[in-house]
Structure formats: structure tokens, C-alpha cells
Amino acid sequence: MESCGQKVAFEKYGVFLHTSAKRQNDQDSMIQGVIRVIEKPSDVILQWVPVEEDEDVSQIHYKKESPGNAECRAEEEMFDPGYEPDWAVISTVGTKGRTHEQTTTPKPGNHGKWAFTISLSDLKSIRKSKPGLSWSYLIFITKDGVSYQALHFHQGGTKALLKALRKYIILATSPKDSRLYLVYPHDSQALSHSFDELQMFDDSSSGLLSRFLVDPYTATFGGFSKVTNLFRGALRPPDGPHQRPLSEMAVGLEDEPGFEVISCQVELGERPVIQRQEAVGEQEWESYFDGEGRVVEVEGLKRRIFSGGLSPGARKEAWKFLLSYYPWDSTAEVRKTIVREKTDEYFRMKLQWKSVTEDQEKRNSLLRGYRSLIERDVSRTDRNNKFYEGNDNPGLGLLNDVLMTYCMFNFDLGYVQGMSDLLSPILFVTQNEVEAFWCFTGFMALVHHNFEESQESMKKQLVQLNLLLRVLDPALCDFLDSKDSGSLSCCFRWLLIWFKREFSFQDILLLWEVLWTGFPCPNFHLLVACGILDLERDALMNSDYGFNEILKHINELTMKMSVEDILCRAEALNQQLAHCQDLPFNVKELLSMVESKSPAQSTDTASPPQPLSPSQVQELDLTDSISPSQPDSSIEILPTEDTTTSQSLSP
């Protein structure tokens, strides 16, 4: 978008200025506007101007300079902003508004006085809102000390704006205030000043600046967040064995402390060849019990299950231990008592919803909603499995009853689409309503955070997956970044329901029991995801796939992979990382290769400033999302122009 030598590099509508802090929800105190980053021949400016409320600004006409004409001849060109609101998930409804010309001056009226324009060279800092507010906002502060009115992004977009600004300025998190970004221009004098002010380097490192100027992006962001091999020797204190090196400091994505973006490659060594063992049979399973029915060598048994899985004959009993229905140290007599108590407890909870009359349910919208959603999901869960096929199949009734009872067990969470996928294999194996329920609660204890409205756990896991993949395969990460797929949102469904839709029903039984052992670490499911990406590496990188094609390719892997192959790959990747000598500290923590820090050892308050590197700000929006996931959405990941991580369940 160019006009008379000017270029609009970024534009976002739905950015409101609240004229009264005491009346933030008062429509009269909110002025809708548009924020732009505009490139001029000699300057780059940040501009916010109000827009009239009665105008539809979903599309806009811009004047464009015609080639070969010295003057700016008006050539109308329809402009689509090219992005969807941050809360868009699958599709959006577009409208064609009335066309109007681009303007850099506000419309007449009382709102015009609030417009402002800032040269980026005059910008000193940017303050962001506290996490958890209904709308994210930014406050711009100039070098003259002028603090402009906060701009509230009602439709999200703060991350996108900061990403656009990083093209022209360096943003570094203040060491004294995690919500304040300090602004520095891209020039050597400013870099020297910023290094001195932030105390990033000691005197012995003063000769490094010339090397920073060779590659300012890599060097600057590397120096702040992750020291590369080039700088490791100079930046590590010569006599500080008890101080963690900067190369191991966990510096993460915005609002996600503890996860770093790796900007250097580590030597992983040769990947080992893994051979899966035979499944644990009934006879071998029984050999692990003593005369009182207590399991001996629990860790050894778990390792065997991890290495070979369970035979169908041993699976029903073993899952009760793996899913905490039976304690591992319980005797046969204790387990009989547990069965009696848990059976009584289950039917008491079941009676709670069974005894609700139709008249009562009319006044209980929550229960009515759960019932409707469960009935719809049960009717389409694993219907190609003989255990659930047919309209009058009793298995469907058991699925329904267990899920409804879980709503009584966990009032806070209730039922969320996708839970039926997790219960179905458990009920198939146990073929007992009570046992299936308590095994399901054990499984939900592991993954219930996946189904919370905030989706913070899902966002965290995608960041963790990105961290692992960046260590294991930087080239693949760079490729995905170049295709706007670096957020790994294509893997959302994998992590949400533990690959339930990716493998055959029988393969899922094996995969889940392996993951339930907790070996070699609780986050082994992330390495399973890395194994799938490793399997598809060549297919992805040797293609001309764009963002949409990558999503389509990942979706079409369903039922085409061998779980044995993927488990071998995942275990090999784990061993490869375990033998790496210079593995970053937070990767070791993620894979339980070191003991986690105690709260007393936390160094959060002393952590170095965190700049927003290009790879750090993905479309994985950790703070801008303003709408919870809808319970009746679809888990099918459909290609859209927005690459946020909000995904949902498909029928």
C-alpha cells in the first residue's frame, strides 16, 4: 500500500482509546480507531486515528501511484487487510463496506483531538497490559517523557504490532519491569549504549561489538536471549562454576517464562537404533505380584510396559494400575475394598443427574447443555468399532452415562468436546462402567488442563514442542517459520487428545499405555510429536507447501502411520538428547534430565532482559486471545489466513 512515497507497513482496526479510565466499559468513553505503521521517505511513524462508528471499515480503498507517473494519480484499488481477528478459529464472515479514501487526518468531530502520530526515532519505551485483562493494551512513551493514552486492542493484535515494529527498532524487556519494552534503534552507537545500560557484557567482552554489527539480528537477539557458540566463551565468567552460563538461561516467549528460543545448534551425536520388545503377557504380568497381591519392582514393570506394551489379556488389569484406580502398593484385599467403595461412590454421583426431572432440567441450562453435547458426541464416537456400532448399542449408553457422571465428579470442568475420544478406548478395554469411570478420571487428572477455556496448557505445550524441535532439527524449524507454521498449530489436535485421531484404535491402546508409564519422562508425548514431524520431514521440506498445504498434509496423516515406528523414533530422539553434552538447561528440565529448581532457587528476578526476537513472536498469541473456545467447534484443523493456535474438534 503506497501513496505519494508513503507505504503502510502495518494496519489494525478495532483499536480503541478509552478516554476515561473509570468508565472502561462505557461505550461513550471508547473511541474506535485504526493504528498504522507508515514508512515515509525519511522516517517511519506510528499513527493512531479515530474512525467514525457508522463506517464499515472491513475493506477500504487506497490511492496508489501509477507506474510511470510522477504525480500521485488516484487509482482506486480495493484493499483487504489480509488478516483475521485474533479470535477467529475456522472461518470468518466478511462484509463489503462502503469504500472511502485513505486518510491520515481524523474525521471532523470531537474525536479528532485524540489522534496522534509518533516518529519511531522519538519512541523511548512501550508498556504492555497485565496478563489476564479482558483487552490487551499498549502505552507509548516518547523520549520527551510524553505518555500517550493507552490503546486497547479489542480484537487482539498487540503481538502483530510489536512484530511489525521490530523491523525498524529493537525491543528489549526492561530488567526492572517485565511489562516495559525499552526501544533502541538499529545502529552501532545505540547498540553499544544499550549493552552498557543493560549490563549484558563485562569489560573483557568489549571487542565483540564489531561481530555484532556483521549480523545485527542474530547477534543482538542472541546476546539477549540465547548465547551462540560464537559468544559463549567471551560471555561466560572465567571463574564461576556455580553460576549458570548464559547459554543455559531460560529466556522465553512473552508471558511464557522458562522456555527459550534456541539460536545456536548443539551437537546431538548419532541417533541410536531402537528395537521394541515383546508385549507383556498375562503370565509375565502375574509374575510381578507377591503372595499378597502386591506389585513388586514397580519401576521395572513400568519400564517393560514402556518398551513393549501390554498384551490384550494383561491390558484390562494393568490399566487400572496405570490410571491410578488401584495403587501400585495395594494388596489384593485392599483392592477389593477399593472396588466396593468406588462402586458406591460412582452410583451416588450417577444418581445425582439421573434424578433430575425434566422440569428441573428446564431451569438448569448447564446440565442441559452438557447432556446435549454429550449425546451429540457419543453418537459419532468410534462408530466403526464393533463395540460401538449400531443404533441400539449398549456401549453408547455406557459412554453417555460415564461422561454425564463425570460432570458430577468435576463440576468446574464438566464436559468438553474431545473427552468422549479419551473415554472410548478405556471403556472398550475395561468393559465395565465403574472401572471405566475411575480409569477415565485418572486419565483426566493427567490431561484436564488441555480442556480448560484459557487453553494456556495447550499454548504452553506448543511452545515446549517448538523448543524441542528447534534443538532436534533447526532446519525444519526454519522451514516451518518461513511458511508461517512455526507456531506448530498444526500439531494442536495431536496434543489435545493424545493422538487419538492419528492412529488406529489398536495402536492408540499401545501408545497410551506407553505414555501412562511416565517413562522416560512425563513429557514423552512431545517427543512422539517430534517423531511424527521427523517422519514427515522430507515430505514437508522437499515440497512447495505453503501454510495451507502443510495443514492439509498433517491432517491427512490420520491412520497412515505405524505407532511402533513413531515410538522407536521418539525413544531414539530422547536418547540422542540425553547423550548431548551441551543440552540447554531448560530442555533438560523439560525432559526430566535434571532435578527441577526449587522456588528458593528461582532466578526470575535476576534474569537478563528479554528482547522480542523474530522467531519468538509467532502467531501463537499467548495474551491477545479474547474469546474462549466454543464447546461445539470442530477439532478438524482447517486452513485459514490466521495462524493462531486456537483449534477445535471435528466430528
Side-chain angles (χ1 to χ4, degrees):
M1 294 176 293
E2 297 184 3
S3 178
C4 300
Q6 298 185 17
K7 177 183 178 182
V8 179
F10 175 85
E11 182 178 63
K12 179 68 177 178
Y13 284 87
V15 181
F16 286 73
L17 186 147
H18 295 192
T19 60
S20 174
K22 297 181 180 179
R23 299 159 50 205
Q24 292 200 16
N25 294 323
D26 187 346
Q27 294 297 324
D28 293 334
S29 69
M30 296 188 295
I31 304 175
Q32 183 181 6
V34 55
I35 192 166
R36 298 187 180 106
V37 176
I38 301 175
E39 294 182 2
K40 292 187 173 183
S42 59
D43 197 8
V44 180
I45 64 172
L46 181 71
Q47 176 192 82
W48 181 88
V49 293
V51 295
E52 293 299 320
E53 295 178 359
D54 61 344
E55 290 182 345
D56 186 340
V57 293
S58 62
Q59 290 185 335
I60 218 170
H61 275 289
Y62 281 86
K63 289 184 178 179
K64 177 180 178 183
E65 181 178 356
S66 299
N69 191 341
E71 298 180 357
C72 292
R73 186 173 58 193
E75 178 186 10
E76 290 190 330
E77 179 182 34
M78 184 65 72
F79 169 67
D80 184 340
Y83 53 83
E84 298 173 358
D86 293 347
W87 42 263
V89 179
I90 300 300
S91 61
T92 57
V93 178
T95 59
K96 292 189 177 181
R98 297 190 303 273
T99 61
H100 45 87
E101 294 181 347
Q102 176 191 16
T103 176
T104 58
T105 59
K107 296 283 185 179
N110 296 331
H111 293 170
K113 64 181 180 180
W114 297 100
F116 64 82
T117 299
I118 309 173
S119 171
L120 295 190
S121 61
D122 294 330
L123 197 58
K124 179 182 180 180
S125 59
I126 304 173
R127 177 171 293 280
K128 69 173 182 175
S129 57
K130 292 181 180 179
L133 296 179
S134 57
W135 296 312
S136 298
Y137 67 75
L138 294 176
I139 299 175
F140 299 94
I141 306 168
T142 67
K143 295 177 181 177
D144 296 331
V146 177
S147 180
Y148 287 88
Q149 200 85 0
L151 297 181
H152 297 253
F153 291 70
H154 287 200
Q155 297 179 358
T158 56
K159 286 288 184 67
L161 174 59
L162 294 174
K163 181 178 180 180
L165 290 176
R166 282 192 352 267
K167 179 180 178 182
Y168 313 100
I169 54 179
I170 294 173
L171 298 177
T173 304
S174 169
K176 299 179 181 179
D177 188 347
S178 62
R179 292 171 50 211
L180 186 67
Y181 295 126
L182 305 178
V183 177
Y184 300 99
H186 289 299
D187 62 74
S188 59
Q189 183 177 1
L191 283 176
S192 299
H193 174 72
S194 63
F195 293 154
D196 293 339
E197 181 176 303
L198 297 175
Q199 300 177 357
M200 289 296 296
F201 308 114
D202 55 25
D203 294 337
S204 63
S205 308
S206 57
L208 291 174
L209 183 57
S210 59
R211 275 179 281 174
F212 278 101
L213 297 178
V214 175
D215 187 354
Y217 268 97
T218 302
T220 302
F221 295 133
F224 284 145
S225 61
K226 178 68 182 175
V227 181
T228 62
N229 292 328
L230 174 64
F231 308 125
R232 183 173 296 164
L235 299 180
R236 180 177 295 161
D239 298 315
H242 301 293
Q243 178 179 348
R244 280 176 58 192
L246 289 178
S247 62
E248 294 182 356
M249 284 193 176
V251 178
L253 299 182
E254 183 180 6
D255 297 324
E256 288 290 345
F259 306 105
E260 62 191 332
V261 174
I262 304 299
S263 57
C264 66
Q265 298 185 11
V266 294
E267 294 295 331
L268 293 177
E270 186 176 354
R271 186 181 301 179
V273 177
I274 302 297
Q275 295 290 336
R276 298 280 300 166
Q277 298 180 14
E278 293 291 327
V280 176
E282 293 180 70
Q283 186 174 357
E284 182 181 356
W285 169 259
E286 292 173 356
S287 70
Y288 281 92
F289 291 82
D290 62 16
E292 294 183 337
R294 185 183 290 106
V295 178
V296 295
E297 298 183 23
V298 174
E299 296 304 300
L301 175 55
K302 287 183 178 180
R303 286 191 179 277
R304 270 292 290 120
I305 297 173
F306 171 79
S307 300
L310 293 158
S311 68
R315 183 168 283 146
K316 178 178 180 179
E317 194 70 13
W319 278 26
K320 300 175 191 177
F321 288 89
L322 290 170
L323 291 171
S324 303
Y325 180 40
Y326 293 157
W328 286 98
D329 60 352
S330 62
T331 63
E333 287 301 317
V334 169
R335 291 195 289 275
K336 291 179 182 179
T337 302
I338 289 175
V339 170
R340 288 194 302 269
E341 293 176 349
K342 291 295 186 180
T343 300
D344 290 342
E345 185 177 356
Y346 172 77
F347 283 108
R348 282 197 304 270
M349 289 187 291
K350 182 175 181 179
L351 185 61
Q352 291 175 356
W353 64 269
K354 278 283 191 179
S355 60
V356 175
T357 66
E358 292 185 9
D359 187 55
Q360 287 178 304
E361 190 168 313
K362 291 178 181 178
R363 297 184 296 274
N364 191 332
S365 60
L366 187 61
L367 181 62
R368 192 167 63 248
Y370 286 152
R371 187 191 298 274
S372 175
L373 188 58
I374 289 172
E375 288 177 354
R376 186 178 65 180
D377 285 356
V378 164
S379 67
R380 57 190 184 185
T381 298
D382 292 324
R383 298 306 301 276
N384 58 342
N385 188 302
K386 290 185 178 181
F387 189 73
Y388 298 111
E389 68 180 5
N391 294 328
D392 298 325
N393 193 303
L396 299 179
L398 293 179
L399 269 180
N400 180 89
D401 289 358
V402 170
L403 292 172
M404 284 296 296
T405 306
Y406 184 78
C407 294
M408 301 295 103
F409 174 81
N410 190 337
F411 284 102
D412 290 337
L413 185 59
Y415 178 79
V416 181
Q417 193 175 21
M419 291 183 182
S420 61
D421 280 285
L422 302 186
L423 173 60
S424 171
I426 296 175
L427 183 58
F428 171 82
V429 169
T430 62
Q431 300 198 12
N432 178 284
E433 181 179 1
V434 175
E435 293 176 352
F437 173 82
W438 291 111
C439 288
F440 176 66
T441 61
F443 193 4
M444 287 301 299
L446 298 175
V447 299
H448 71 94
H449 292 297
N450 290 2
F451 297 94
E452 293 176 351
E453 283 191 52
S454 67
Q455 294 189 342
E456 288 304 314
S457 176
M458 292 304 303
K459 296 171 184 176
K460 177 180 177 181
Q461 290 177 71
L462 288 172
V463 173
Q464 292 172 326
L465 178 58
N466 183 283
L467 170 62
L468 289 177
L469 190 64
R470 198 166 292 276
V471 175
L472 290 166
D473 198 338
L476 178 57
C477 260
D478 290 342
F479 169 80
L480 294 174
D481 284 340
S482 70
K483 303 298 183 180
D484 295 326
S485 300
S487 66
L488 300 178
S489 58
C490 55
C491 306
F492 184 94
R493 185 176 67 188
W494 299 355
L495 306 182
L496 180 69
I497 52 175
W498 275 27
F499 311 95
K500 172 63 164 55
R501 306 270 179 98
E502 319 314 318
F503 296 98
S504 69
F505 196 88
Q506 290 299 322
D507 277 356
I508 279 297
L509 305 184
L510 170 59
L511 175 61
W512 283 2
E513 61 200 17
V514 166
L515 294 176
W516 290 334
T517 65
F519 280 99
C521 65
N523 288 315
F524 188 65
H525 67 293
L526 298 178
L527 288 170
V528 172
C530 289
I532 297 175
L533 292 172
D534 179 71
L535 175 67
E536 298 301 313
R537 182 184 194 275
D538 292 340
L540 293 172
M541 296 188 66
N542 295 334
S543 67
D544 293 327
Y545 288 165
F547 174 75
N548 291 350
E549 290 77 17
I550 290 175
L551 282 178
K552 184 174 182 291
H553 180 84
I554 294 298
N555 276 334
E556 291 177 349
L557 294 177
T558 300
M559 306 300 165
K560 296 180 181 178
M561 298 177 290
S562 164
V563 74
E564 293 279 359
D565 179 29
I566 297 301
L567 284 173
C568 288
R569 288 175 182 268
E571 187 176 355
L573 292 174
N574 181 77
Q575 293 189 19
Q576 195 176 16
L577 291 170
H579 290 98
C580 178
Q581 297 298 318
D582 56 348
L583 196 64
F585 181 80
N586 58 338
V587 177
K588 294 179 181 179
E589 282 188 315
L590 181 60
L591 300 179
S592 301
M593 295 179 181
V594 293
E595 292 185 4
S596 300
K597 294 185 300 180
S598 64
Q601 296 173 309
S602 176
T603 59
D604 290 346
T605 57
S607 61
Q610 304 172 17
L612 302 178
S613 67
S615 57
Q616 280 180 306
V617 183
Q618 303 292 346
E619 295 300 325
L620 173 64
D621 194 341
L622 301 180
T623 59
D624 286 355
S625 178
I626 62 173
S627 108
S629 58
Q630 300 301 320
D632 59 345
S633 57
S634 165
I635 198 172
E636 185 71 18
I637 303 173
L638 302 179
T640 67
E641 293 180 358
D642 191 325
T643 57
T644 57
T645 61
S646 297
Q647 309 292 338
S648 51
L649 287 171
S650 73

